[in-house]
Amino acid sequence: MLVVRRVSVAWGLSISLLLAGSACGSETAPSRAGGSVTVFAAASLTEAFTDIGTALGAGDPSLSVRYSFAGSGALVTQVEQGAPADVVATADTTSMARLVAAGLVETPTTFARNQLQILVAPGNPLGIASLADLARPDLKVVLGDETVPAGKYAAQVLQAAGVTVAPVSKEADVKAAVAKVTLGEADATIVYVTDVAAAGAKGQGVAIPDGQNVVAEYPIAVVKATGNHAGAVAFVDAVVHGSGQDALRQRGFLPAA
């Protein structure tokens, strides 16, 4: 059973924690892998990593996994400040590069890719058909803050399309941006294809042409300060090589290569 709750951490950030009450592990995990593994992951990985935890449940009953989902920049800052993470997965290589440069993680591996899409209300009642439409003065558009990958990527695609948007707000992660649209507080946002899919009947996607789109790369790494190195390695291996790849594909992520 997965229990979802909101907590405030000592590093001044509010993050979502998904606690895997049932045991989770990798089918490739060595017998010594056990105990608890805390995984810091980009918010856009929420559904896929939750699926991975479920898929790995039968692998190693001695290994439990706790997930912290937030914007990649927030996660990196927490690791830099000593938050007790065993594994970190970001939605861009730039965020991970900060941790590499600081000597805080082992060599990262890219495990998935993603692209962007416009999220609108079901049925697209305002007839939003392209990035250019997001500049319309009658629309309330929200975007991710440029300090998080989704916001940075959105700025890139808008610049490539020659479109200037005045967002009504800039959100701390993609899930916050999605919520603004699905709750009717905004008319459109730019998020990952996988987030549009996760919105289900609460939203609808408008494609961004490949020539204007970007490809986001997702790296994952073991945190050097981990207290459970074997368990951390087992989790990373499952994501990069094991059943995690199936879960990611089913959620709409593109393969790493």
Side-chain angles (χ1 to χ4, degrees), residues 45-95:
L45 291 165
T46 300
E47 292 80 17
F49 269 29
T50 301
D51 292 345
I52 290 171
T54 301
L56 297 179
D60 184 353
S62 68
L63 181 66
S64 63
V65 182
R66 182 173 72 171
Y67 297 105
S68 282
F69 297 105
S72 295
L75 296 176
V76 168
T77 297
Q78 291 173 47
V79 174
E80 289 173 333
Q81 295 179 352
D86 300 298
V87 175
V88 61
T90 63
D92 67 334
T93 56
T94 301
S95 296

Side-chain angles (χ1 to χ4, degrees), residues 15 51 65 115 136 140 142 176 183 209:
I15 59 176
D51 292 345
V65 182
Q115 287 193 289
R136 286 165 33 188
K140 292 185 294 183
V142 298
L183 293 174

Side-chain angles (χ1 to χ4, degrees), residues 118-129 136 139 181-182 186-188 196 199-206:
I118 301 170
L119 175 67
V120 300
N124 196 6
L126 297 177
I128 299 169
R136 286 165 33 188
L139 296 183
V181 175
T182 58
D187 300 314
V196 175
K202 296 180 180 180
Q204 181 173 323
V206 175

Side-chain angles (χ1 to χ4, degrees), residues 13-14 43 70-74 143-145 147-149 170-177:
L13 295 168
S14 177
S72 295
L143 296 173
D145 189 86
T147 60
V148 297
K170 293 186 176 182
E171 304 300 320
D173 60 58
V174 290
K175 295 305 182 187

Side-chain angles (χ1 to χ4, degrees), residues 15-42:
I15 59 176
S16 294
L17 286 184
L18 289 176
L19 298 181
S22 60
C24 300
S26 168
E27 63 274 325
T28 58
S31 59
R32 67 183 181 279
S36 177
V37 175
T38 298
V39 179
F40 279 19

Side-chain angles (χ1 to χ4, degrees), residues 39-49 68-77 87-99 108-116 144-154 156 172-175 190-195 213-221 239 248 253-254:
V39 179
F40 279 19
S44 52
L45 291 165
T46 300
E47 292 80 17
F49 269 29
S68 282
F69 297 105
S72 295
L75 296 176
V76 168
T77 297
V87 175
V88 61
T90 63
D92 67 334
T93 56
T94 301
S95 296
M96 185 65 76
R98 278 174 51 187
L99 297 178
T109 301
T110 298
F111 65 93
R113 297 181 300 155
N114 212 343
Q115 287 193 289
L116 299 181
D145 189 86
E146 285 90 346
T147 60
V148 297
K152 177 185 67 177
Y153 294 139
Q156 290 176 3
D173 60 58
V174 290
K175 295 305 182 187
I190 299 174
V191 292
Y192 300 109
V193 170
T194 53
D195 292 301
N213 216 324
V214 298
V215 177
E217 294 188 355
Y218 285 67
I220 190 169
V239 171
L248 288 159
F253 285 88
L254 300 171

